[in-house]
Amino acid sequence: MELIKKSGIMIQGSRVVVIGRSVVVGGIVAELLKWNDATVINCHEHTHNLKEEVQAADIVVAAAGIPNYVQGSWIKQGAVVIDAGINLVSDPNKRAHGVYDYCPKVPTS
């Protein structure tokens, strides 16, 4: 919440997609955003239209625990993305991977 508030992004009235529903991150973040008057859509691995939900979101919080689950091309211009997922995968560079697959071609504002 503090990251979003300090960024200056208006939470009230924003369409927010929270991917993940755990009691550790996803569920709590969704509730906090609702209490701050956001319109929150909770998505998870069984959501059929995940791409469309993400494309419509003003704010995306990715906390699914699935590496590279959200594609950079799904993010609309100007949207805020918070990747709260850390996944240990087989990587020769020994890096942790997030849920969001960063795509540098996505325009940002």
Side-chain angles (χ1 to χ4, degrees):
M1 283 303 301
E2 291 304 312
L3 286 173
I4 298 170
K5 286 180 180 178
K6 290 185 185 225
S7 73
I9 300 299
M10 174 66 78
I11 296 171
Q12 184 179 29
S14 291
R15 181 181 175 90
V16 181
V17 169
V18 177
I19 304 168
R21 54 189 170 174
S22 76
V23 296
V24 177
V25 179
I28 293 170
V29 169
E31 288 303 312
L32 287 170
L33 288 161
K34 284 188 234 176
W35 294 339
N36 282 273
D37 300 319
T39 300
V40 178
I41 310 297
N42 248 126
C43 297
H44 45 77
E45 63 185 325
H46 301 291
T47 301
H48 295 292
N49 60 340
L50 179 63
K51 179 179 178 180
E52 290 79 15
E53 294 292 357
V54 170
Q55 288 174 326
D58 302 309
I59 301 170
V60 178
V61 180
I66 301 170
N68 304 318
Y69 193 51
V70 177
Q71 301 301 306
S73 60
W74 298 357
I75 308 299
K76 75 177 182 181
Q77 183 173 356
V80 173
V81 177
I82 298 175
D83 188 346
I86 297 176
N87 305 281
L88 297 177
V89 296
S90 180
D91 184 331
N93 298 317
K94 299 188 188 276
R95 297 177 297 167
H97 288 251
V99 174
Y100 174 63
D101 177 29
Y102 175 69
C103 176
K105 295 179 184 171
V106 173
T108 58
S109 58

